[in-house]
Amino acid sequence: LETERQAHEARNIIGYILSELDVGVVVFDQNNVLMHANKRMREIYPGAEAALEPGTKLEDGLRSLYRTVLQDRNEEVTDQKLDDWVESSVEEYEQPSFTKTFQNSDGVWLKVKNRRLDSGSMIGTRTDITDAKRRESRLREKLREVEIFKSALERLPVGIAIKDEDLNFTFINDALCEMAALNRDEALGKHISDFMETELANEIEESDRETMKSGRMLEFISETKNTDGKDLVGLSRKLPLDLTDGSKVLLSSTYDIT
């Protein structure tokens, strides 16, 4: 009797723990009969009460789940298509370990993880990863925008350079490499003094520091030699920019006005 009481208490504790998890949890026995579905699982699949009722066989639950939650309402599903889906899903459940992500018909993204235990029982978790997918999508879009802007800057007929707060080059476009006879690979990540005559480099960096400190655009006429060794006169501008992360960069542009 004491053993039964302890077992009952243990089940209650485990049930309470599962109910408080922010992850959907299902437990099937070795015969693929549902033993438990926690509260979060029912929140993830609203309207799927029949599929998540303890004692429901896996195949029956899958059919009910598809009809009530997973099916696209604009899609006509034949009995054969449903049978094929259920068969495929059962095969996933039978694997020792299985993981996948998919999007419900209501737009919710879920990460599915199933694990078959040595006893034959199966524990499955369902995690709502919709927010993570949205962040991932926004990041991809931001990266695409960065790539577009970078590509545009590369192709401008105006010399463009960007330096970080320490005045290391972080970007140099083709036009500037041509105008100033710069080797991009040698310049990126370095100070101008690392590859240019010291006195001139010191003058440029002093001007850079003053411009960064003032926060105002500086405009001046510059003279240099291009890759063909010809003298070039340029209208140059330096503009400090404040980034959203609190850091600063220095944007420089040079127009050939020879």
Side-chain angles (χ1 to χ4, degrees), residues 90-116:
V90 169
E91 290 177 358
E92 295 173 355
Y93 277 75
E94 291 291 356
Q95 295 181 32
S97 181
F98 178 78
T99 301
K100 73 173 180 179
T101 60
F102 74 97
Q103 188 176 29
N104 274 347
S105 59
D106 59 1
V108 174
W109 279 94
L110 293 175
K111 183 174 184 178
V112 174
K113 295 186 72 173
N114 295 336
R115 185 169 183 81
R116 185 70 64 169

Side-chain angles (χ1 to χ4, degrees), residues 70-81:
L70 301 181
Q71 179 182 349
D72 186 340
R73 297 309 172 193
N74 296 320
E75 175 188 17
E76 182 178 352
V77 179
T78 64
D79 290 342
Q80 184 59 53
K81 184 172 183 178

Side-chain angles (χ1 to χ4, degrees), residues 85-195:
W85 182 84
V86 170
E87 182 179 352
S88 175
S89 298
V90 169
E91 290 177 358
E92 295 173 355
Y93 277 75
E94 291 291 356
Q95 295 181 32
S97 181
F98 178 78
T99 301
K100 73 173 180 179
T101 60
F102 74 97
Q103 188 176 29
N104 274 347
S105 59
D106 59 1
V108 174
W109 279 94
L110 293 175
K111 183 174 184 178
V112 174
K113 295 186 72 173
N114 295 336
R115 185 169 183 81
R116 185 70 64 169
L117 306 181
D118 292 340
S119 64
S121 299
M122 195 281 293
I123 297 177
T125 60
R126 306 292 182 268
T127 307
D128 186 339
I129 58 170
T130 305
D131 288 343
K133 281 289 186 179
R134 287 172 181 162
R135 289 193 296 270
E136 182 182 305
S137 177
R138 286 195 295 267
L139 177 59
R140 282 199 303 269
E141 184 61 29
K142 290 293 183 183
L143 291 175
R144 180 174 176 275
E145 290 175 4
V146 168
E147 189 62 31
I148 290 172
F149 284 121
K150 183 178 178 181
S151 179
L153 290 176
E154 286 283 10
R155 288 162 174 76
L156 284 177
V158 178
I160 300 291
I162 300 174
K163 298 178 182 178
D164 62 20
E165 289 180 297
D166 296 323
L167 302 182
N168 295 305
F169 282 101
T170 60
F171 177 83
I172 304 172
N173 75 344
D174 292 338
L176 187 61
C177 288
E178 174 70 21
M179 290 178 183
L182 290 176
N183 183 311
R184 193 199 322 266
D185 293 335
E186 291 181 0
L188 287 177
K190 297 178 182 178
H191 288 81
I192 195 169
S193 57
D194 292 330
F195 54 86

